[in-house]
Amino acid sequence: MSHLATIVFKISNYSRLKQFHAQLIHYSLLHDNYWVAQLIGHCTRLHAPPSYTRLIFDSAHCKNVFVFTNMLKFYSHLDAHNDVLKLFDEMSQCGVRPDAFVYPILLKSAGKDGRLLHAHLLKLGHCCDGYVRNAIMDVYAKNGPVEDAHKVFDEMSERSVADWNLMISGYWSWGKRAEACGLFELMPDKNVVTWTAMVTGYSRVKDLVRARWYFDHMPERNLVSWNAMLSGYSRNGFAEEAVRLFDEMLKARMQPNETTCVAVISACSSLGDPCLAESLVKMLNEKGVKLNCYVKTALIDMYAKCGNLENARKVFDELGLYRNSFTWNAMVSAYARTGDLDSAKELFDQMPEKNVVSWNSMIAGYAQNGQSACAINLFKEMVRNKSVRPDEVTLVSVISACGHLGALGVGNWILNTLMQEGVRLSISGNNSLIFMYSKCGCIEDAKKVFEEMETRDVISYNTLITGYAAYGHGNKAAELIYMMEDEGIKPDRISYIGALTACSHAGLLEEGRKVFESIKAPDVDHFACMIDLLGRVGKLDEAMELIEKMPMEAHAGVYGSLLSASRVHKRLDLGEFAANRLFELEPENSGNYVLLSNIYASAGKWEDVERVRGAMKKVGVVKTTGWSWVEYHGEIHKFIVGDRSHEQSESIYRKLAELQKKMRSAGYVADDNCVLRDLEVEEKEEIVGSHSEKLAIAFALLVSEAGSVIRVVKNLRVCQDCHTAIKVISKMEGREIIVRDNNRFHRFSEGLCSCKDYW
């Protein structure tokens, strides 16, 4: 026995624990309650597997209170609360009477039901015990109401430091800053835990100045104190401060642990500094810091954000069987964030278990990298899967994807699905709805969501302002700028760009001037918007003067606005000037060549058109293919000019021929100015007659219900001929047709367009 008693104090790892276990079997002591309780205690300390620990527990034939208590502690350390409650029932059935040490464990696992247990303990008279009382306070401090915890605290004749600390932390957890500070001032004897609770509390409410004050004034600090301040900086976006504090920590000869590493690595991730990341990893290796799976997961995220996917994947592969859901998600997210969607999807498909974060990472990856249809299809798969419930993060990504595609039907279905799942929308969720409705031609619905929001931020305003800009609602966009200021929300550069664009699309020169002059420090994009506005209203010489007066170098957007205006107002001189500057700034942009060709074609200068086409070929620039698409029964149907690949192509062209015949009878004549070749009239009419938006509308007329709204999305600007043709079609067919091109919305109804032929 003395030999075993000596060995038990030398158990330092799981391997030695099993050796000691074998010794007990050898001496036939495995059924002895004392030794079983000892073994279970070491299992808790060394994080032994639950199955192994339960085997030891079951080996005791007639278990006493110590065996049960140690097994309860083991489950409690694992946060296996259901196992704690089941074991307590088993203890009662065995007739083993619990002592006061059992009840704190039970209270921790009871959660909100701890109130009922409190009443039971009052009857049993156990509430006089200090540990039990502290555990009861902890139940109320964590689950509420925290005021009931204070009642228990007030009833104590003697209060320990632990009781004071628990109350201070409890008040901070419920955001009751004044009460926490009041108790801190009243507390007679403060220890390092007390001061650390104040650091953590102020960090939680994002008051890092006060948190640092308490940290600096601590009479003594331990590792937990340093970690609290480091985590506060890291979680609140003060990455540089976190790195500086970590340097101070090392100078103070404080040995970092895993929690320290996660906080500092997260800070390095925010900075995205690869040199800093490498020096940190080198330091961790030199210090011999053990990197557990949480630290390695943070490393994966850090490497990914620093652009080092190779090292991120290396750490991921090293983890092997120790990968958990956090690790898998970090790697999937890393690939998705950098646009390597094939690698992200490959890992996603290999994941042994996917949670909502896994699905969200992949859906967001598709949505943010322009693969909106893939994002929507993956969401549909997630819904069919039924093992994971979507949340608001899912909604933000997939609803935004619907907005980009103009897929209103799918968007409404997704919204209804998420509402049925009980997903509640925060500001971010509502902002994504404003975006979707704006992009799908439902600006009134977007406005309704905006007006019903209890709290709005700058993104809410910017999204609606940008929506108004696409519809040419200049006055409404400008009004939102002034409304922002009234609500104490400061407009940012995006706000002003949206308002100026809206004024430009509506031809509101004076309102645009007023907005522009209100910007304290306009940047180059604001100048580009103002030049666009001047150009659209025909003041090209004034636009040119503004370019010359700009305090910064003009970028492609400035000259692009001038070139577009030159095409509209047939200013060949300024068009050539702007185009030549654009060829220098962005030689691979085919749109600039096309605009200049349009100017030459309108003037009948076919030799110059061919010269521009030759220049395009010389530098290897290919004209961007124009697409138009419509949504039908949850699917996106895409068309290009002259497209005959659609399964209903024959019916589409027959419908188009019928429309053209009726249109000609109504006086419509095709405008062939957009054809950049010197062809016969019949050939030109054939080309413009099968433009992608016309094909999309013909398809929609075939499959949609009579009188329903037709919504078309186009990746390029709608041409003059299509604009005229769609006006005629809207009147002939009695349909409202909404077309979103890459510049703005056009709402056609009764032969008129919402843009009033000004775009």
Side-chain angles (χ1 to χ4, degrees):
M1 293 286 283
S2 60
H3 166 66
L4 292 174
T6 304
I7 294 174
V8 79
F9 288 111
K10 295 180 180 179
I11 298 172
S12 57
N13 54 47
Y14 182 43
S15 177
R16 290 200 173 186
L17 175 65
K18 289 194 286 186
Q19 290 172 8
F20 180 67
H21 186 185
Q23 290 276 326
L24 292 178
I25 294 171
H26 177 75
Y27 289 111
S28 302
L29 294 171
L30 191 58
H31 309 308
D32 185 281
N33 280 327
Y34 173 79
W35 293 111
V36 170
Q38 284 280 336
L39 272 175
I40 295 170
H42 285 292
C43 284
T44 303
R45 183 172 59 84
L46 298 170
H47 308 290
S51 55
Y52 173 74
T53 310
R54 183 70 197 211
L55 240 142
I56 295 169
F57 174 79
D58 291 337
S59 67
H61 290 162
C62 188
K63 305 171 187 71
N64 63 12
V65 67
F66 300 111
V67 173
F68 271 105
T69 302
N70 278 12
M71 193 64 204
L72 286 165
K73 285 179 182 176
F74 175 82
Y75 282 139
S76 181
H77 275 272
L78 291 177
D79 287 329
H81 302 311
N82 287 334
D83 290 323
V84 168
L85 299 175
K86 285 178 187 175
L87 189 63
F88 182 74
D89 286 339
E90 188 181 329
M91 184 179 181
S92 302
Q93 289 167 13
C94 291
V96 178
R97 188 174 179 180
D99 58 20
F101 292 105
V102 169
Y103 291 109
I105 302 168
L106 202 59
L107 282 161
K108 178 186 174 184
S109 297
K112 292 180 180 178
D113 294 332
R115 176 182 287 274
L116 300 173
L117 189 55
H118 180 195
H120 180 66
L121 291 171
L122 281 169
K123 291 177 184 177
L124 294 175
H126 283 301
C127 289
C128 296
D129 181 87
Y131 291 106
V132 173
R133 233 174 16 205
N134 190 271
I136 291 167
M137 283 168 55
D138 191 51
V139 166
Y140 291 122
K142 285 178 179 172
N143 302 289
V146 69
E147 289 76 15
D148 284 359
H150 206 143
K151 286 177 185 176
V152 177
F153 181 76
D154 286 339
E155 290 167 2
M156 295 179 177
S157 54
E158 292 184 12
R159 303 182 184 112
S160 67
V161 174
D163 296 325
W164 283 90
N165 289 342
L166 191 148
M167 276 310 310
I168 290 170
S169 296
Y171 274 128
W172 276 120
S173 297
W174 290 91
K176 295 183 178 289
R177 175 176 180 161
E179 289 83 349
C181 292
L183 280 180
F184 179 84
E185 294 301 326
L186 289 171
M187 189 172 174
D189 297 307
K190 305 172 183 71
N191 63 7
V192 67
V193 177
T194 320
W195 286 87
T196 303
M198 296 301 287
V199 172
T200 303
Y202 274 111
S203 297
R204 189 174 284 151
V205 297
K206 305 183 186 303
D207 188 346
L208 276 300
V209 173
R210 295 295 295 169
R212 185 58 190 257
W213 186 92
Y214 278 92
F215 178 79
D216 289 339
H217 286 78
M218 291 177 73
E220 61 173 319
R221 300 186 191 116
N222 60 14
L223 183 58
V224 179
S225 315
W226 285 93
N227 286 346
M229 195 66 241
L230 276 168
S231 298
Y233 278 139
S234 183
R235 287 173 186 166
N236 287 286
F238 293 88
E240 292 178 0
E241 287 82 351
V243 173
R244 280 199 292 269
L245 184 66
F246 180 60
D247 188 50
E248 288 179 35
M249 179 181 174
L250 296 178
K251 288 175 181 175
R253 299 185 181 279
M254 185 65 67
Q255 181 69 19
N257 66 0
E258 289 86 352
T259 304
T260 321
C261 295
V262 170
V264 180
I265 290 169
S266 297
C268 287
S269 297
S270 302
L271 290 172
D273 185 340
C275 296
L276 183 61
E278 286 302 323
S279 64
L280 175 64
V281 173
K282 185 180 178 182
M283 184 278 299
L284 293 176
N285 290 332
E286 289 172 353
K287 290 282 182 183
V289 177
K290 185 180 177 182
L291 306 182
N292 62 17
C293 64
Y294 296 106
V295 179
K296 289 188 175 182
T297 300
L299 272 178
I300 291 169
D301 185 62
M302 180 188 74
Y303 279 131
K305 286 179 179 173
C306 291
N308 193 338
L309 274 180
E310 186 181 341
N311 275 2
R313 186 58 188 259
K314 184 181 176 183
V315 175
F316 177 81
D317 291 337
E318 284 173 359
L319 279 164
L321 296 173
Y322 291 95
R323 297 174 194 146
N324 56 23
S325 60
F326 297 104
T327 318
W328 282 93
N329 289 340
M331 200 64 229
V332 169
S333 178
Y335 278 129
R337 192 164 50 238
T338 55
D340 188 353
L341 297 175
D342 290 337
S343 297
K345 187 62 165 64
E346 184 183 348
L347 276 186
F348 177 80
D349 291 338
Q350 292 172 15
M351 287 183 74
E353 188 176 340
K354 301 178 184 75
N355 58 20
V356 69
V357 178
S358 320
W359 289 91
N360 287 348
S361 297
M362 201 64 237
I363 290 170
Y366 281 132
Q368 290 164 10
N369 285 281
Q371 297 196 28
S372 300
C374 291
I376 293 168
N377 289 334
L378 191 61
F379 173 77
K380 290 177 180 178
E381 186 183 330
M382 181 185 186
V383 172
R384 286 194 299 270
N385 187 276
K386 292 184 178 179
S387 62
V388 178
R389 295 178 64 185
D391 60 13
E392 191 186 17
V393 178
T394 323
L395 178 138
V396 169
S397 294
V398 77
I399 286 290
S400 296
C402 291
H404 284 295
L405 286 177
L408 180 63
V410 177
N412 283 331
W413 169 76
I414 289 168
L415 184 59
N416 290 334
T417 301
L418 292 167
M419 292 302 101
Q420 288 168 11
E421 292 286 347
V423 175
R424 298 188 65 181
L425 301 185
S426 66
I427 293 177
S428 179
N430 280 307
N431 289 347
S432 67
L433 279 184
I434 295 169
F435 175 81
M436 183 194 77
Y437 284 130
S438 297
K439 285 291 204 177
C440 290
C442 302
I443 193 66
E444 288 305 316
D445 288 329
K447 180 186 175 186
K448 184 180 177 185
V449 173
F450 177 84
E451 289 176 341
E452 290 177 353
M453 290 173 70
E454 292 181 10
T455 308
R456 294 183 279 261
D457 60 10
V458 69
I459 297 172
S460 316
Y461 275 95
N462 288 352
T463 309
L464 189 58
I465 288 170
T466 305
Y468 280 145
Y471 288 83
H473 296 338
N475 285 321
K476 291 181 179 179
E479 284 169 11
L480 281 178
I481 291 282
Y482 309 135
M483 184 175 163
M484 284 177 82
E485 293 167 345
D486 290 342
E487 285 194 13
I489 298 173
K490 188 178 180 181
D492 62 13
R493 62 181 299 275
I494 304 297
S495 316
Y496 290 118
I497 288 171
L500 288 169
T501 303
C503 291
S504 182
H505 286 171
L508 299 176
L509 180 57
E510 292 312 312
E511 190 61 57
R513 285 192 204 275
K514 188 178 175 184
V515 171
F516 184 74
E517 288 166 4
S518 71
I519 307 171
K520 290 181 179 177
D523 64 22
V524 66
D525 291 321
H526 299 129
F527 276 97
C529 292
M530 196 62 208
I531 289 157
D532 185 61
L533 172 53
L534 288 166
R536 282 173 184 270
V537 298
K539 294 185 176 293
L540 275 79
D541 293 321
E542 189 177 337
M544 193 65 205
E545 286 175 18
L546 185 59
I547 292 173
E548 292 168 352
K549 290 177 181 176
M550 282 174 61
M552 72 284 290
E553 193 71 28
H555 63 21
V558 171
Y559 294 111
S561 296
L562 185 63
L563 179 59
S564 295
S566 299
R567 180 187 65 83
V568 173
H569 297 285
K570 298 180 171 43
R571 284 290 298 271
L572 187 58
D573 57 334
L574 291 180
E576 287 178 325
F577 165 76
N580 287 328
R581 293 307 307 271
L582 286 166
F583 296 155
E584 294 173 9
L585 292 168
E586 41 180 31
E588 295 179 1
N589 186 342
S590 64
N592 300 325
Y593 293 91
V594 173
L595 279 173
L596 183 58
S597 294
N598 273 323
I599 295 173
Y600 286 137
S602 297
K605 292 179 172 288
W606 298 110
E607 288 182 7
D608 288 319
V609 170
E610 289 304 317
R611 180 173 55 79
V612 174
R613 288 171 61 84
M616 286 179 71
K617 288 179 182 178
K618 188 176 179 180
V619 295
V621 176
V622 180
K623 184 177 180 292
T624 304
T625 302
W627 286 92
S628 293
W629 59 90
V630 290
E631 177 198 356
Y632 177 63
H633 281 182
E635 299 295 328
I636 302 297
H637 297 258
K638 296 179 83 171
F639 302 89
I640 61 172
V641 61
D643 197 348
R644 292 185 180 272
S645 62
H646 195 277
E647 59 185 10
Q648 296 188 46
S649 184
E650 191 175 329
S651 300
I652 291 168
Y653 274 89
R654 191 161 48 244
K655 182 66 177 177
L656 201 54
E658 291 173 12
L659 287 172
Q660 287 169 345
K661 186 177 180 181
K662 289 166 68 176
M663 287 161 63
R664 279 194 291 269
S665 298
Y668 161 77
V669 178
D671 182 349
D672 55 20
N673 282 329
C674 60
V675 179
L676 303 182
R677 282 175 286 178
D678 189 13
L679 303 173
E680 294 298 324
V681 174
E682 291 81 4
E683 292 177 283
K684 289 185 177 183
E685 286 185 359
E686 186 179 342
I687 292 172
V688 298
S690 59
H691 275 187
S692 62
E693 50 266 61
K694 291 191 180 84
L695 295 172
I697 289 168
F699 169 74
L701 287 169
L702 281 172
V703 299
S704 61
E705 294 180 12
S708 62
V709 178
I710 294 173
R711 300 174 192 276
V712 178
V713 178
K714 184 175 171 64
N715 67 327
L716 303 177
R717 290 183 73 171
V718 64
C719 75
Q720 181 68 52
D721 177 71
C722 286
H723 192 269
T724 303
I726 300 169
K727 285 196 293 183
V728 177
I729 293 170
S730 72
K731 187 171 185 178
M732 286 192 322
E733 298 295 315
R735 293 290 196 103
E736 181 180 326
I737 303 172
I738 298 175
V739 178
R740 187 186 98 200
D741 67 13
N742 72 341
N743 192 47
R744 61 167 298 156
F745 272 93
H746 300 268
R747 179 178 171 271
F748 300 91
S749 180
E750 294 295 323
L752 299 173
C753 179
S754 58
C755 75
K756 299 176 183 176
D757 297 336
Y758 182 85
W759 87 98

